[in-house]
Amino acid sequence: MTFAPQSVGKAANPFASAFGISCITVFVLLVAFLSALGVSVLPMVLVAGASIFLWLLFHNPIGSLGLFLAFMPVYTLAFLLAKFFGPSYIGALEGGERVLLLFLIFILWRRNGVELTTPDWFLMAGFALAILRLAFDGSLIGLLTDFNFVIAYAAGRVAMLTATQQNRWAQRAVWIVAILSVLGMGEVFVVGEAPRTLLYLSAANGGTEGQRLDAAFHADGYSGLRESATMFGPLQFAPLCMAALIVWWVYCRNPLPAAVIAAGLICSVTRSAWLGTPVAIVTLAVVMGQKKRLLLYAGLVLALFLGSIPILGLDDYIFSTKTGKDPSAQSHQESLFGGLEYVSTHAFGVGPGNVGKYAVKDNKNAIGIENTYLTLAAEYGIPTCLCFGAFLLTVLQVLWREPTPLSYSAIGIVVGFGTVMIFAALHDVFPLACWLWFPVGLAIRSSVDVRARQKIAE
């Protein structure tokens, strides 16, 4: 069902501009006066900022959504810095970004409506089974964290972008990640890990072990710092680079941002994304008929990777990986086999939050499975995991018949991140989910709208 507001022509108020300028002037003077008296003006600034953003949400929801998505890759670091420098109540705002996006989704849904399709039904069925499992055991926060990617997907399902807007989104997304890659390499090669260590020890819930960054920021056989840029860690940053490279492959031709992003991906030293990226790009090259282009860029990337080995000191890391003596790879393998065994004995799950990241935080002896599919099966049961798998497959089925740049991007993201999820449970990282699942939902929306217009034409 589609809801759309009635457009009513209204004459412009000649006093509106003067009134707005007067309000801004009064606010600035009030802030300056309170600051001179030594009164904290941060609450007023936050309220004013929230009010302005709400005004933007109603008057330009698509523009607001674009700003929201552009900010999400830097949100994690920005929020931690706000907690570090700001008052104590900043921490209570954690999770507010999800509420904000839900509010924006509601506005867009009222304007554009949404027609549910096969992937939506499978996703809703999986979520319903997860809620049913929560009724017996588990934590609500665990459920909401596991399924927060649905919010990003829903944002794409209710958004409507023209081809020009899609191209603009793609170009900006690629350059945003390219800039973040450069900044991240500055941390790796110039700044070092001391500032991030201090920040995480003071403001983050996790990311450190003892008085230093935990093992996720380093690797066996690699003595350097793995690049994280503005994401929480390298495991979160690498799939962001993967998504940007997929979008670049479909929408762009300038090799400069791709080279910078690829360098950032290499510096993340994250094998799951190293595997997911070529799987996605090869799939797209075959589907789009770009095999010659694939061979050209494959050679360039290989040269970039070989050149980075002595610079980053990856010799021992690669050698241990080739010989199978890497403790990290062995740990992944043990986690996968252990997860399979655990799921086979807990076919209906043990409840959200009782397996995975939340469980390991509270209990070091808890089960942590480095695989999204097995994690969902262990928490909510095999039927929920099957619904999630069916959701991914039906997304590919729907989009495969639509030869558009947006569909190609979504196919690449599903294939690439679907591969990453075999080796890492990253489905619950909301800033990353916004960049992965929004274009997937947007592509499904576009496909449904095209078929609806075709039916009307017939």
Side-chain angles (χ1 to χ4, degrees), residues 13-340:
N13 189 341
F15 300 103
S17 299
F19 178 74
I21 294 173
S22 299
C23 291
I24 294 173
T25 303
V26 170
F27 179 77
V28 171
L29 291 175
L30 180 60
V31 168
F33 177 72
L34 292 176
S35 298
L37 294 178
V39 179
S40 175
V41 297
L42 182 59
M44 289 185 59
V45 172
L46 290 175
V47 171
S51 301
I52 293 172
F53 197 80
L54 288 175
W55 182 84
L56 288 173
L57 288 183
F58 281 104
H59 285 76
N60 188 3
I62 289 296
S64 301
L65 179 60
L67 289 174
F68 181 91
L69 294 174
F71 180 68
M72 287 316 293
V74 302
Y75 169 79
T76 301
L77 195 61
F79 185 75
L80 291 176
L81 288 171
K83 287 178 65 177
F84 183 80
F85 291 105
S88 58
Y89 57 78
I90 292 293
L93 300 177
E94 187 171 2
E97 75 282 3
R98 296 165 176 82
V99 177
L100 183 61
L101 185 56
L102 281 171
F103 187 67
L104 186 53
I105 289 171
F106 177 77
I107 295 173
L108 289 171
W109 172 64
R110 292 287 297 177
R111 293 192 177 194
N112 302 329
V114 63
E115 180 182 344
L116 298 180
T117 188
T118 306
D120 304 327
W121 291 115
F122 276 116
L123 188 59
M124 292 171 62
F127 187 53
L129 289 173
I131 294 175
L132 181 62
R133 187 62 188 83
L134 174 65
F136 295 94
D137 192 14
S139 63
L140 177 61
I141 187 64
L143 171 71
L144 297 178
T145 302
D146 282 327
F147 284 89
N148 62 27
F149 74 91
V150 177
I151 303 175
Y153 174 76
R157 292 291 282 111
V158 297
M160 295 179 64
L161 298 183
T162 64
T164 301
Q165 289 174 321
Q166 293 171 18
N167 186 69
R168 190 182 303 131
W169 156 76
Q171 299 286 342
R172 292 175 179 175
V174 168
W175 278 107
I176 286 172
V177 179
I179 293 171
L180 295 182
S181 295
V182 173
L183 295 176
M185 284 185 276
E187 179 187 25
V188 171
F189 296 110
V190 180
V191 178
E193 61 185 84
R196 187 180 292 266
T197 303
L198 176 62
L199 177 64
Y200 282 21
L201 287 172
S202 303
N205 182 20
T208 58
E209 187 175 355
Q211 295 298 312
R212 56 172 299 178
L213 296 176
D214 62 21
F217 291 87
H218 302 88
D220 294 296
Y222 175 62
S223 59
L225 175 67
R226 298 166 65 182
E227 182 173 352
S228 304
T230 52
M231 300 292 282
F232 188 83
L235 295 178
Q236 294 79 18
F237 175 65
L240 182 70
C241 293
M242 179 194 70
L245 287 173
I246 291 169
V247 173
W248 171 85
W249 183 269
V250 175
Y251 282 94
C252 308
R253 289 298 181 268
N254 185 353
L256 177 60
V260 175
I261 296 170
L265 177 60
I266 292 172
C267 290
S268 71
V269 194
T270 305
R271 282 171 298 202
S272 59
W274 285 1
L275 178 61
T277 302
V279 168
I281 297 298
V282 169
T283 301
L284 290 177
V286 173
V287 174
M288 299 173 67
Q290 297 180 342
K291 297 178 183 178
K292 291 183 179 179
R293 185 186 178 203
L294 174 65
L295 293 175
L296 172 63
Y297 282 104
L300 294 175
V301 171
L302 180 60
L304 178 63
F305 181 76
L306 293 176
S308 68
I309 292 176
I311 297 174
L312 296 175
L314 292 171
D315 308 73
D316 294 338
Y317 178 77
I318 294 175
F319 178 77
S320 62
T321 300
K322 287 178 61 178
T323 57
K325 297 180 180 179
D326 181 12
S328 177
Q330 294 174 1
S331 174
H332 279 295
Q333 186 176 10
E334 293 173 0
S335 175
L336 290 177
F337 285 116
L340 285 170

Side-chain angles (χ1 to χ4, degrees), residues 404-424:
T404 64
L406 183 60
S407 294
Y408 290 143
S409 298
I411 288 171
I413 288 173
V414 171
V415 171
F417 193 61
T419 303
V420 170
M421 288 190 292
I422 297 174
F423 306 98

Side-chain angles (χ1 to χ4, degrees), residues 357 369-372 375 420-429:
K357 297 176 183 177
I369 306 173
E370 297 173 345
N371 179 297
T372 292
T375 298
V420 170
M421 288 190 292
I422 297 174
F423 306 98
L426 296 172
H427 59 286
D428 56 354
V429 182

